[in-house]
Amino acid sequence: MVDVSELVAKAREGRPRAVARLISLVESASPHLREVMAALAPLTGNAYVVGLTGSPGVGKSTTTSALVSAYRRTGRRVGVLAVDPSSPFSGGALLGDRVRMTEHSSDPGVYIRSMATRGHLGGLAWAAPQAVRVLDAAGCEVILVETVGVGQSEVEIASQADTSVVLLAPGMGDGIQAAKAGILEIGDVYVVNKADRDGADATARELNHMLGLGESRGPGDWRPPIVKTVAARGEGVAETVEALEKHRAWLEEHGMLAARRRARAAREVETIAITTLRTRIGDLRGGQRLDRLADRVAAGELDPYAAADELVAGLTGE
């Protein structure tokens, strides 16, 4: 038996087991999920959500851990959602990120959770938006969402965070990748990590050049800064936090923070609605309506658009 109100109350007190149970209910799409989200709704909207993305090996986990330390020094409670690849055997998260963040495991002001992608594309787990809500309601003032290693198109984090941080590293071909596609368009802050390696300055210059080529910004628009770091030694982390705080202030000043959160809520509602409709369509496969429509389309009696209209009308009762 799940007592949702008690779980939420304990999560608000910062009890990690209650937070973990709530996120588990989210991940398993529990029958209690609607009740959980209804209870959390009035308690959310206070956390600053920072997404970190980049190719495998650029140091996302190390940078995330360094940012946790920096924010904790200011007294803020921090939540970390580390999205790991799914195990091909169990389907669970491989937990690589949590292993790298063990230094924070005994800190009651830090909550770290690994989530498996479970085949979801885009670099995030499908349950990530609801898990962020749980951490927000549990009193985390900053939530760091670390994606799996992404390439050109897996840039979903840009739609799930208030500020998106794109990490690159010298000597990994990231400049070429950045020139190709996606990640040049999603970053609010760019971090060239492992800046003690040869080629760090060249990577930063190339990135700055690429950003300049793609610029269509007017006066007062945000221009993403480029920060060089050696996260393993904590170098450049303070400058990264400063860049994040400047972006947050710019978002608030221009009304963009509220706009991004409205857009995020709209996507979340849309995803839930589409998932519900897909479930209903799946239920139809056990019935006769979809089969009858498919037979008529295959026989040339009905075009697929008309069949889809009829199917949707049946689903929505129109």
Side-chain angles (χ1 to χ4, degrees), residues 5-280:
S5 58
E6 183 181 356
L7 270 180
V8 171
K10 288 182 177 178
R12 290 289 288 172
E13 294 171 5
R15 298 192 189 184
R17 286 188 179 181
V19 177
R21 185 76 189 282
L22 287 172
I23 294 181
S24 294
L25 292 176
V26 167
E27 286 193 285
S28 63
S30 164
H32 298 282
L33 184 53
R34 290 178 181 272
E35 186 182 354
V36 168
M37 288 298 115
L40 294 181
L43 308 173
T44 58
N46 302 307
Y48 175 44
V49 183
V50 177
L52 295 98
T53 190
S55 304
V58 296
K60 291 188 299 295
S61 296
T62 305
T63 300
T64 300
S65 182
L67 287 173
V68 170
S69 298
Y71 278 118
R72 287 298 293 144
R73 283 193 289 270
T74 67
R76 279 176 276 192
R77 291 187 66 190
V78 182
V80 177
L81 205 58
V83 183
D84 285 316
S86 297
S87 164
F89 302 104
S90 68
L94 292 176
L95 305 181
D97 295 313
R98 289 186 72 174
V99 169
R100 298 185 190 98
M101 298 185 204
T102 50
E103 64 182 284
H104 304 294
S105 59
S106 61
D107 186 343
V110 179
Y111 183 87
I112 300 171
R113 175 70 174 234
S114 285
M115 298 183 76
T117 55
R118 299 180 189 271
H120 182 77
L121 299 178
L124 291 179
W126 73 270
Q130 285 78 35
V132 167
R133 286 183 177 275
V134 172
L135 295 176
D136 187 355
C140 292
E141 296 163 270
V142 177
I143 300 173
L144 304 174
V145 182
E146 179 194 336
T147 74
V148 297
V150 300
Q152 297 173 38
S153 59
E154 295 165 308
V155 291
E156 188 180 346
I157 189 60
S159 65
Q160 300 294 343
D162 297 323
T163 298
S164 296
V165 179
V166 174
L167 283 91
L168 302 97
M172 299 186 68
D174 285 308
I176 297 172
Q177 284 292 99
K180 283 184 183 176
I183 61 171
L184 270 183
E185 300 167 6
I186 68 164
D188 298 306
V189 174
Y190 288 87
V191 173
V192 178
N193 190 33
K194 304 181 181 181
D196 53 342
R197 291 184 176 180
D198 290 340
D201 290 338
T203 299
R205 281 196 304 270
E206 184 178 357
L207 179 58
N208 187 55
H209 176 66
M210 293 294 179
L211 288 172
L213 286 177
E215 249 181 22
S216 57
R217 301 179 180 89
D221 286 352
W222 177 257
R223 191 184 194 287
I226 300 169
V227 183
K228 289 189 288 186
T229 65
V230 184
R233 299 203 297 256
E235 295 174 13
V237 176
E239 289 81 358
T240 304
V241 171
E242 183 182 355
L244 292 174
E245 293 301 317
K246 284 182 178 178
H247 185 246
R248 181 179 187 175
W250 180 87
L251 288 172
E252 291 175 341
E253 180 185 350
H254 292 80
M256 294 298 295
L257 186 60
R260 286 192 177 196
R261 291 179 177 180
R262 279 195 302 272
R264 191 158 74 222
R267 278 186 289 268
E268 191 175 355
V269 171
E270 182 182 20
T271 299
I272 292 169
I274 290 172
T275 301
T276 302
L277 288 173
R278 281 178 178 160
T279 302
R280 291 184 184 179

Side-chain angles (χ1 to χ4, degrees), residues 291-307:
D291 289 340
R292 285 197 300 269
L293 289 170
D295 286 341
R296 292 175 65 191
V297 171
E301 299 172 8
L302 193 67
D303 72 84
Y305 285 93

